[in-house]
Amino acid sequence: MMTTRELQDEIIRLKKENDICILAHAYQSHEILEVADFTGDSYGLSKQAATAPQKNVLMCGVRFMAETCKILSPDKHVFLSNSAAGCPMAEQLDVELLQSLKDKNPDYTVVAYINTTSELKTICDVCVTSSSAVKIVKNIEQLTKILFIPDCNLGAWVEEQVPEKTFKFVHGGCPTHLRMSIADVERAKAAHPAAKLLVHPECLAEVSKAADYIGSTTGIIDYAKNSTDREFIIGTENSILQHLQYECPEKSFYPLSKDCVCHNMKLTTLMDVYNCVKGAGGEEIILPDDIRTKAKACIDTMLTLGE
């Protein structure tokens, strides 16, 4: 039997011994973040992995994140810490359905949220993250018609800020963020009237419209850390509350909804990480070369337009 601290110490020893870089998405538990080399949002982690010196990468997150790491680091061994950890939003569309939408809308540019499978990215024009979507869509010059997939809430938020372009959406979104309602907003504000409401753009439009700040996971964290306000209602996955409580013990953080929990993210445990770094767990991500190179094209376009 090992304590949490003993398990963490052994993970840190083994990752160095086995040349492993550990990436932890911000929705992971704090005990996992403490053993990670890098923490943050999905695309930021992939960029860190690409420049890290280690030849092995362990993603503590969900499958599309590990795939993105492999796309950007083809010469590295990339592992997903728990093979069952998927993303319902990333799986809402398949290649056949998207291709039929493209055929029906040939004059539309397909803008794909990073939360998509590698296969889907192969037939998209450009990828976006929640923090870069507005800038990138604005920078798609001469192309005024946008087919935004798969999150229609994030897409509608972008549409509001880029009114000069025409948008079409697919009915999709994040089940975790969709659990939060305007009734949750009213309850939380009544209980904490002095608190600022910070939400992710994957939330329903009526929830976002009530917010004091709308932004990516990293944006929410940075806003709360840098703000002079002392109380915050957090409208994204509830792990963020725990991380902020550690980083800002002088401030108070409240969940917009106790039900805003990503069950796929919660599949990964500290013991999963331990088993992975000792070579007894996880799943290595293998992508066919044609899928990897085609998927990378829309990520490269994202980098170009995001400059």
Side-chain angles (χ1 to χ4, degrees), residues 4 10 31 40 69 82 129 235 255 264 283 286:
T4 299
E10 188 65 4
E31 62 190 15
C69 278
N82 188 309
T129 64
N264 280 276
E283 175 190 345
I286 306 294

Side-chain angles (χ1 to χ4, degrees), residues 55-59 63 66-67 70 73-83 276 279-288:
K55 66 180 180 183
N56 302 299
V57 176
L58 176 60
M59 170 58 78
R63 184 169 296 275
E67 289 181 352
K70 186 63 178 178
S73 303
D75 296 329
K76 296 187 178 185
H77 295 285
V78 177
F79 299 87
L80 178 61
S81 53
N82 188 309
S83 63
C276 288
E283 175 190 345
E284 183 168 6
I285 300 298
I286 306 294
L287 294 178

Side-chain angles (χ1 to χ4, degrees), residues 78-141:
V78 177
F79 299 87
L80 178 61
S81 53
N82 188 309
S83 63
C87 173
M89 177 163 58
E91 297 157 7
Q92 284 167 350
L93 273 175
D94 59 24
V95 170
E96 291 74 24
L97 178 55
L98 179 56
Q99 187 59 57
S100 71
L101 290 169
K102 282 166 62 84
D103 293 342
K104 292 173 185 174
N105 301 279
D107 53 342
Y108 276 72
T109 300
V110 181
V111 176
Y113 193 17
I114 194 81
N115 298 37
T116 44
T117 65
S118 53
E119 289 85 357
L120 211 62
K121 289 182 177 75
T122 63
I123 58 170
C124 295
D125 296 303
V126 60
C127 246
V128 297
T129 64
S130 52
S131 58
S132 69
V134 172
K135 182 177 183 180
I136 287 170
V137 170
K138 283 183 176 179
N139 285 347
I140 303 174
E141 295 179 2

